[in-house]
Amino acid sequence: MYHESGKRDALVIKIEFINSNGDLVYVEYAPTITWSEKGKFMKTLHDLDVVPAMGEELDINTLVGMRVTATIENVERNNVVYSNIVRIQKRETDIQAKVSNEEDSEMMNQLFDVDEIDFDGM
C-alpha cells in the first residue's frame, strides 16, 4: 500500500546466498503489502506456503531461516549490473541433486546390466 508521502508498506525479505567465491551475499526482496490475490505479496505468501487462514495474522517468524529457491534477474543500467529477485519459492527438500557425469552414468549402466547376470547359476 502506498501513502501520500510516496512511501509504501512492504515485507522486506533478506535472502542469504553463497557466491562462487564462497562469500556470503545478501539480496533483498520487498513486495508491497496488499492483500490482492493478483499482487506480488500474496503470490509470495502462496509460494512460501505461509498464507494465513481467514481471520489470522501473518506470522513472519515462520519465514526466518526458511530455505528458499530464488529466481534472480540481472539488469544492466548505466554500465552497472543489478541482481534483482523476481520470485522466491519454498524449497521442497534440502537434498541437492548431484550433477551426473558420463563416467558415473557408464558405471551405473555396468552395475545394472542384467543381461550379463547368470540367473541359472544362482
Side-chain angles (χ1 to χ4, degrees):
M1 171 167 93
Y2 283 89
H3 301 280
E4 289 180 18
S5 65
K7 294 184 178 183
R8 64 186 175 111
D9 292 327
L11 176 65
V12 180
I13 302 170
K14 184 186 277 188
I15 302 173
E16 178 182 272
F17 296 93
I18 299 175
N19 68 13
S20 58
N21 296 330
D23 298 325
L24 289 178
V25 177
Y26 297 92
V27 180
E28 292 182 351
Y29 183 66
T32 300
I33 296 175
T34 174
W35 293 100
S36 168
E37 284 294 326
K38 294 181 180 183
K40 286 183 183 181
F41 178 70
M42 284 301 292
K43 175 74 174 136
T44 300
L45 296 184
H46 281 288
D47 286 345
L48 297 176
D49 195 24
V50 295
V51 177
M54 187 65 80
E56 290 185 4
E57 292 184 9
L58 172 63
D59 181 8
I60 60 172
N61 291 322
T62 60
L63 301 174
V64 177
M66 180 183 285
R67 296 192 175 273
V68 298
T69 300
T71 303
I72 299 175
E73 179 179 270
N74 293 323
V75 178
E76 184 175 340
R77 276 182 272 166
N78 299 327
N79 296 324
V80 177
V81 176
Y82 297 91
S83 297
N84 299 309
I85 296 175
V86 293
R87 185 176 185 186
I88 58 174
Q89 298 170 278
K90 186 175 185 178
R91 189 180 302 172
E92 295 297 322
T93 180
D94 286 340
I95 300 171
Q96 294 186 4
K98 178 186 170 198
V99 176
S100 65
N101 60 36
E102 285 184 34
E103 186 176 314
D104 287 345
S105 297
E106 181 61 28
M107 184 177 68
M108 293 305 286
N109 287 337
Q110 290 173 5
L111 285 173
F112 296 101
D113 191 357
V114 293
D115 293 335
E116 295 181 14
I117 298 175
D118 180 13
F119 289 101
D120 294 329
M122 296 181 145

